[in-house]
């Protein structure tokens, strides 16, 4: 999930850089030649195209991040449910062991009492 988040942040940073470069190409200069204007316009067009491509990449990265978050949430829910079930089973087994120990001691106690009563009669 962290990798998806890092990728998303990198794509967003690239988008900001491209937009900044695009804005710089449109700053006015006092003396502009036809050649430099044509070069600026070409760079501007390429930056605009790159900006669109990066925006698509940002959207894909955001979708990957959201998918990773959903997967992490589902895994945590499964983990929590499994842990709860395990604790319940352990508790149930411990109670069963206590009951068996109690019934064993009660049985032995009753046998001893019965023997004592039988010898007294």
């Amino acid at each position: 999930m962290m990798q998806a988040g890092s990728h998303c942040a990198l794509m967003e940073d690239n988008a900001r850089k491209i937009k900044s470069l695009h804005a710089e190409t449109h700053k006015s200069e006092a003396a502009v030649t036809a050649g430099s204007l044509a070069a600026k316009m070409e760079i501007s067009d390429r930056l605009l195209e790159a900006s669109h491509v990066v925006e698509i990449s940002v959207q894909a990265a955001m979708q990957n991040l959201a998918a990773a978050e959903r997967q992490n949430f589902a895994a945590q829910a499964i983990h929590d449910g499994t842990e709860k079930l395990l604790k319940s089973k352990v508790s149930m087994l411990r109670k069963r062991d206590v009951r068996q120990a109690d019934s064993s001691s009660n049985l032995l106690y009753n046998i001893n009492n019965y023997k004592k009563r039988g010898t007294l009669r």
Side-chain angles (χ1 to χ4, degrees), residues 8-9 20 29 39 50 68 74 78 80 89 91 104 115 117:
C8 185
S20 175
E29 295 179 9
I78 289 170
D80 292 346
K89 292 293 182 182
S91 176
S104 294
K115 286 181 181 178
R117 277 187 272 158

Side-chain angles (χ1 to χ4, degrees), residues 8 12 23 37 70-71 86 95:
C8 185
E12 289 173 336
L37 181 60
R70 285 190 302 273
Q71 186 176 13
L86 180 63
K95 287 177 184 177

Side-chain angles (χ1 to χ4, degrees), residues 6 31 33 47 50 53 66 69 75 81 83-84 88 90 109 115 117:
S6 297
T33 64
L47 288 171
V53 171
E69 287 174 340
E83 188 174 4
K84 185 177 179 181
S88 172
V90 167
Y109 177 78
K115 286 181 181 178
R117 277 187 272 158

